[in-house]
Structures are given as C-alpha cells and as structure tokens.
Amino acid sequence: QALRERGCRSEEEFGAALREIEAEVQRRKQLIHQSAERKAIISKCYKRKHPEVYILQDSFLAPDFLEIVRYCTSPDADLHGLLRHIESFSDKRIYRLPVFTEEFCQAFVEELENFERSDMPKGRPNTMNNYGVLLNELGMDETFITPLREKYLQPITALLYPDVGGACLDSHKAFVVKYSLHEDLDLSSHYDNAEVTLNVLLGKDFTEGNLYFGDFSQDPTPVPKYIEIEHVGAQGVLHRGGQIHGALPIASGERWNLIVWMRSSAIRNQLCPMCNKKPELVEAEGFGDGFTETPEDDVPETVNLCSLW
C-alpha cells in the first residue's frame, strides 16, 4: 500500500523499489562497522591542531550557561524560574540559550577545518548532510559530549521536556554540519531521531540561513504554521526531536553547527520515533540508536538499533 501511494503500479516498479529498499537496509547495517574502522584510523593517524578542545572544561562554557545550570541543579528550580533565564519561542517549546564562549567556538572550528583538510577517512553526519564531522569518530564522545549531556544539559532538559525523557537522556549522536555556497546550502524539512536536540552555532561569517520550525511530527495541522529563528553565534537552540524543522539557504559565507541528538531509552523503548512502532531490537556497538534491552539478572545493559529503521 505504501509503495502504491508513492506511484508504484507494475510488478517491475515494485521489484525495483524493493531492491532499492533492500540495498539501503544493507548499507545501514554496515554503517556502525565502517564508523568504527574510521575512528580507529583517526585515533592512530590524525594530528590534532587544538588537543585541548577534546576535553570539556568549564572555561569553554559561557558564564550565563553555567549560571543556568546552577539554577537548574538548585533545590528550588522549576520550569517557571528557568524560563526567566532563557529565550522562548511561541508555544512550540523551542528555546535559545548561550552555550559556549566565542574563544572556544573559534578554536573548535579551526580544529574541524584542520580535520577537513586532512586525508583522514570521513563519514557523513546523516543522510541529509553531506559535509561535516561525526564527533565520536573524532574521539570527542567520552571526553566532551557525554559530560556535556550528563552534567550540563540534562538538568536543563529535565525541566523543559520531562514528557519526552528530558530527565533520563542516556545516549546521544553528536556531529557538526557545514553549510557553504559550493556545498550544502540548506536543510529540508525533517524531524530528528532524538528525543531532544541541541543545535549550536559555532561560526563563521554568513548571511541568511535561519532555522524554521513547524508542527510536532505526531500532531500535524492541515496548514503548518512555521516560525523562523535566527542563529546567534555561540548560542544554542533546544527543541524536541520530533519537531518538524529545517534550515533556509545561506546567501553568503560559511556556517558550522554542532548538533547533539539526545536520546532517552525509557521513551524510545516503547515507540521508535522513526518507524512509529514498538521497536524490534538488534545488537549494536556503542550507543547505537539509543534503544536498550532490559537486563536479566547481572547481564550488562546493551544498546541496540531498531531493526525496522
């Protein structure tokens, strides 16, 4: 039925579509192993320009961001008080807040450009972005992204998004995307494979390219109401992963964005956000796509992929 709705009519068309689907399934099954191979090569051969940016330090974080975290970890913290510290947009539960210092952003972009110029193997961030860096392959997951999520972001998301697992974000996928005139200009409407997403503008100089947001993926309206949000340097936008969004084309220059897809296995174990079904799990390396299998006795928890996605 789904293929018929997309124009398939003849047996030949059905066969071609099924072969294309099977090829994509096989490609995705190889992604984790290919990523592990690239990470091993990068760890052994890549010469870092700014080694210090690989280990998260308070000095990398904006003073106002640290103040927000202090408030969120205080005994009397609540949503109403938090909203006095951050910028809120419409009723879509989209928020903007300072995250990093400009000095850190500059050093981080220089490191990313150094990696981009190297002959190291590079994976695509996702199926929609052709330019950027997978930060786990660069070796930044354990020393940078995980502590950022656990120590700093989760106290904030616990107050903003308790209904989608904001208090129990136990894994992530982090990557940097790059937009420029001769590469990716924009990003089409989509929603993320995440419960909560953080999007931080790292640099550089560019014009246009606002983010736009529509409806929540599970609650569409006949005529979507989009709002635009301007990128601000070193600041981040927080939103629910299921919020329909995209990026308008840049008109000049170049832009780097840090994207962190944060996931809660307690939420996605019940319903896969991509196939919208109870997930059937297969074993995966690392965080996989953030699903977990209920441990039996003393068997360690495993992180898995939804076999349907």
Side-chain angles (χ1 to χ4, degrees):
Q1 181 63 34
L3 292 176
R4 286 193 184 93
E5 290 174 355
R6 288 161 174 79
C8 282
R9 295 291 181 268
S10 68
E11 288 299 320
E12 291 78 9
E13 289 174 334
F14 276 107
L18 290 174
R19 287 192 295 273
E20 186 176 344
I21 291 169
E22 178 60 27
E24 178 63 14
V25 169
Q26 294 304 318
R27 185 190 71 83
R28 293 190 180 206
K29 285 182 177 179
Q30 296 302 314
L31 288 178
I32 291 178
H33 304 298
Q34 293 168 353
S35 180
E37 291 173 357
R38 289 192 297 267
K39 182 178 180 180
I41 294 171
I42 293 166
S43 175
K44 182 179 179 180
C45 303
Y46 175 58
K47 183 173 177 58
R48 297 172 174 179
K49 180 180 178 67
H50 293 297
E52 68 278 4
V53 304
Y54 287 75
I55 301 175
L56 182 63
Q57 303 174 40
D58 276 5
S59 60
F60 298 166
L61 302 170
D64 287 346
F65 178 72
L66 292 172
E67 182 58 38
I68 291 168
V69 175
R70 277 192 289 270
Y71 171 77
C72 291
T73 54
S74 66
D76 300 325
D78 59 22
L79 176 61
H80 181 72
L82 172 57
L83 293 180
R84 291 198 296 266
H85 292 80
I86 63 178
E87 193 172 359
S88 178
F89 296 91
S90 75
D91 59 349
K92 298 181 184 293
R93 300 172 69 188
I94 303 164
Y95 308 98
R96 184 164 62 200
L97 70 167
V99 179
F100 298 119
T101 65
E102 292 184 3
E103 292 77 12
F104 167 76
C105 289
Q106 180 177 344
F108 191 19
V109 170
E110 288 177 359
E111 178 65 35
L112 295 167
E113 290 176 327
N114 184 66
F115 178 73
E116 188 180 50
R117 289 190 297 267
S118 75
D119 60 358
M120 293 295 102
K122 301 171 180 70
R124 292 173 58 185
N126 53 65
T127 56
M128 300 183 73
N129 294 106
N130 297 296
Y131 299 91
V133 180
L134 289 160
L135 294 184
N136 69 310
E137 294 184 7
L138 204 56
M140 298 190 72
D141 252 4
E142 295 83 358
T143 57
F144 193 103
I145 301 298
T146 293
L148 178 66
R149 168 174 54 82
E150 293 179 344
K151 182 178 178 181
Y152 299 95
L153 294 172
Q154 188 158 286
I156 300 171
T157 60
L159 293 177
L160 294 177
Y161 306 110
D163 53 322
V164 294
C168 50
L169 299 170
D170 50 2
S171 69
H172 61 261
K173 177 179 179 179
F175 50 95
V176 173
V177 294
K178 177 189 176 187
Y179 299 89
S180 70
L181 291 184
H182 302 295
E183 299 175 339
D184 287 339
L185 285 175
D186 56 9
L187 187 60
S188 301
S189 296
H190 65 286
Y191 57 90
D192 298 335
N193 186 0
E195 275 60 70
V196 180
T197 295
L198 173 68
N199 181 338
V200 183
L201 173 62
L202 299 173
K204 301 167 67 174
D205 293 328
F206 65 95
T207 57
E208 304 297 334
N210 286 351
L211 293 172
Y212 63 89
F213 291 87
D215 296 312
F216 194 70
S217 63
Q218 304 302 323
D219 186 27
T221 59
V223 181
K225 297 179 180 178
Y226 288 95
I227 63 168
E228 287 189 30
I229 297 176
E230 184 180 359
H231 281 292
V232 177
Q235 296 199 15
V237 174
L238 276 169
H239 63 86
R240 293 172 294 174
Q243 197 81 42
I244 299 293
H245 63 285
L248 295 171
I250 62 170
S252 66
E254 181 178 299
R255 185 175 79 225
W256 292 83
N257 288 76
L258 167 65
I259 311 295
V260 186
W261 288 352
M262 294 177 281
R263 294 155 169 172
S264 168
S265 61
I267 298 296
R268 59 183 41 227
N269 284 353
Q270 307 305 311
L271 190 72
C272 173
M274 305 309 288
C275 67
N276 202 31
K277 297 178 181 178
K278 175 75 175 179
E280 299 177 18
L281 302 180
V282 294
E283 195 167 331
E285 300 176 30
F287 285 139
D289 273 348
F291 302 92
T292 56
E293 186 174 70
T294 303
E296 297 178 8
D297 301 325
D298 295 327
V299 178
E301 183 179 83
T302 58
V303 184
N304 302 270
L305 297 172
C306 177
S307 62
L308 298 177
W309 170 236

